[in-house]
Amino acid sequence: MSATLITNIAELVTNSANLGDGSLLGVVTNAALVVDNGYVAWVGNALDEPSCDERIDAQGCAIVPGFVDSHTHLVFAGSRDDEFAARMSGEAYDGGGILKTVSATRAAPEGALRELTKQRALELRQSGVTTVEIKSGYDLTVDGEMRLLRLAGELTSETTFLGAHTVPREYQGRRDEYVSLVANEMLTSCAPLAKWADVFCDQGAFSVDEARVILTAAQRAGLGIRLHGDQLAQSGGARLAAELGAASVDHCTYVTGTDLEALAASGTVATLLPTAELFTRTGPTDARRFLDAGVSVAIATDCNPGTSFVTNAVLTLQLAVTQMGLSVAEALYAFTAGGARALARSDVGGLAVGQRAHLALLNGPRYVDLVYRANPQPFRRVLTF
Ligand code: NIG
Ligand code: FE
């Protein structure tokens, strides 16, 4: 495959501090980049650019690494608009609505579910996402969770088994049996289809002890682990994530100072979900506390029908800055390099030599415009070579 030169880039965000301005984002101005066989092969000033068979003119616009959306629940059917409207009239979110989505998803024919999922993934892609994690969790039977993971696997290698999303109706009053099903037969059947296992560890969902049983079984089955923690209360999820060496703990709305120390020590990423807080009227979480404590931060859309029916990644970025206290550079880093770290990936999330050429070309010269402006089409093109 021949090399492609992308040139006339006003600002190129590489996320490599030894490039360009030496900042966190490693911004190279008046830049060019060479893509060879899907990977970045050269980065530098356009005055020094090599000649290549193919050439793309960025026309003086900025280029950023594609967003790495490390937390989504894209495979579901049905709507929870009624629950959302009730919440905006004062009801609290407690996770109870998950069962409504489970009924709709179980009833959905495979073709319909595939189309719904593909459309959501396409919308994310158009908003700059080039790597997406997708969870199961809206069927909660062995065969059904496998079906959701197969559909997710058609779109990404970052598939996550979330059999422990809630206790399904047919197991109500028998939650121990359900936890045992998830940690045994369901996990064994789903493991070949998943890279990760996740548990909704929170008040009204699964306890720390239940989550520990499921996640340690997942580790034994060879899966990486991540969890939903501290979304609805101080659930102990973040501390469990640190104890087990999870790649990421997600939500973290109610984490304590002790939790932050544990996360910093374990290297577990805290994935903050600004739109889930916006649409449940909780938070906003102060992301500065995490950075000040030495915790790695990612941000993600958490696209799901209950708390964050969001396929607009730029909105997520904008809220991380305007509501959670991150600088524009920190938020962009969190949604690219941070997301990659949350998925234990070093090949995505940046545009240094050797990384995947996954990038988004803005409609203007400054990457800051992604947050400064709220325009309907911030990107001219989103490219994955
Ligand atoms: O990340 N908290 C658990 N899971 C989702 C919501 C699921 C739902 O309500 O359907 C979340 O917010
Ligand atoms: Fe979630």
Side-chain angles (χ1 to χ4, degrees):
M1 198 170 136
S2 61
T4 302
L5 172 73
I6 308 176
T7 187
N8 198 8
I9 307 165
E11 289 181 343
L12 174 66
V13 172
T14 65
N15 284 344
S16 181
N18 54 17
L19 290 172
D21 63 359
S23 69
L24 179 70
L25 296 185
V27 182
V28 185
T29 47
N30 186 27
L33 169 143
V34 174
V35 182
D36 192 11
N37 213 12
Y39 289 84
V40 178
W42 184 89
V43 177
N45 190 290
L47 295 173
D48 305 322
E49 72 192 28
S51 59
C52 291
D53 300 343
E54 295 186 29
R55 190 171 184 279
I56 295 174
D57 187 345
Q59 297 180 322
C61 292
I63 286 182
V64 298
F67 299 133
V68 179
D69 192 356
S70 60
H71 183 143
T72 83
H73 308 246
L74 294 191
V75 200
F76 66 87
S79 171
R80 307 250 291 280
D81 56 297
D82 48 352
E83 177 188 324
F84 175 73
R87 195 157 70 236
M88 293 305 110
S89 302
E91 298 279 315
Y93 174 79
D94 64 1
I98 294 172
L99 290 174
K100 182 175 177 191
T101 303
V102 168
S103 300
T105 305
R106 285 178 178 177
E110 179 141 326
L113 206 46
R114 176 179 291 112
E115 285 314 308
L116 287 167
T117 309
K118 265 171 61 180
Q119 178 59 31
R120 293 170 191 137
L122 179 68
E123 288 169 14
L124 282 174
R125 160 93 184 193
Q126 286 166 344
S127 77
V129 173
T130 51
T131 301
V132 65
E133 178 263 16
I134 305 179
K135 303 175 197 300
S136 68
Y138 287 119
D139 188 291
L140 312 179
T141 65
V142 174
D143 290 345
E145 287 293 299
M146 289 174 69
R147 178 169 86 129
L148 304 192
L149 285 167
R150 267 196 300 271
L151 289 171
E154 292 176 9
L155 297 168
T156 186
S157 58
E158 301 297 339
T159 52
T160 300
F161 167 54
L162 180 57
H165 203 182
T166 193
V167 177
R169 278 210 177 88
E170 60 274 19
Y171 277 87
Q172 254 147 46
R174 299 187 291 137
R175 61 180 298 121
D176 288 354
E177 283 178 49
Y178 186 66
V179 170
S180 169
L181 173 73
V182 172
N184 293 285
E185 189 192 339
M186 201 185 281
L187 173 65
T188 306
S189 302
C190 288
L193 300 166
K195 175 175 169 186
W196 302 98
D198 190 343
V199 172
F200 183 13
C201 175
D202 221 313
Q203 179 177 283
F206 293 89
S207 69
V208 167
D209 288 341
E210 291 166 341
R212 189 185 284 107
V213 167
I214 294 164
L215 292 170
T216 53
Q219 285 176 313
R220 285 194 297 276
L223 298 186
I225 60 164
R226 47 204 319 103
L227 59 150
H228 286 68
D230 303 274
Q231 176 187 15
L232 307 177
Q234 283 179 17
S235 68
R239 227 154 322 144
L240 179 67
E243 173 196 319
L244 298 179
S248 175
V249 58
D250 302 29
H251 287 284
C252 298
T253 304
Y254 289 94
V255 290
T256 64
T258 323
D259 294 334
L260 292 177
E261 282 169 28
L263 292 176
S266 69
T268 299
V269 174
T271 301
L272 308 181
L273 306 169
T275 42
E277 293 185 344
L278 179 73
F279 289 103
T280 55
R281 288 192 180 143
T282 51
T285 293
D286 176 8
R288 296 236 65 80
R289 284 174 70 211
F290 293 70
L291 294 180
D292 292 348
V295 177
S296 295
V297 169
I299 57 174
T301 64
D302 193 12
C303 179
N304 78 80
T307 62
S308 177
F309 201 167
V310 170
T311 50
N312 178 345
V314 175
L315 174 65
T316 300
L317 183 77
Q318 290 169 330
L319 291 171
V321 176
T322 58
Q323 308 301 302
M324 290 180 152
L326 294 178
S327 70
V328 176
E330 286 166 341
L332 183 54
Y333 192 83
F335 209 177
T336 50
R341 183 170 171 154
L343 295 174
R345 296 273 298 268
S346 56
D347 61 328
V348 295
L351 292 170
V353 170
Q355 290 185 290
R356 298 299 304 256
H358 290 180
L359 50 93
L361 174 63
L362 273 73
N363 257 322
R366 306 265 294 143
Y367 77 80
V368 175
D369 285 350
L370 279 178
V371 179
Y372 170 51
R373 299 194 53 195
N375 52 340
Q377 277 194 325
F379 295 120
R380 191 173 286 192
R381 292 174 82 176
V382 180
L383 295 165
T384 45
F385 288 87

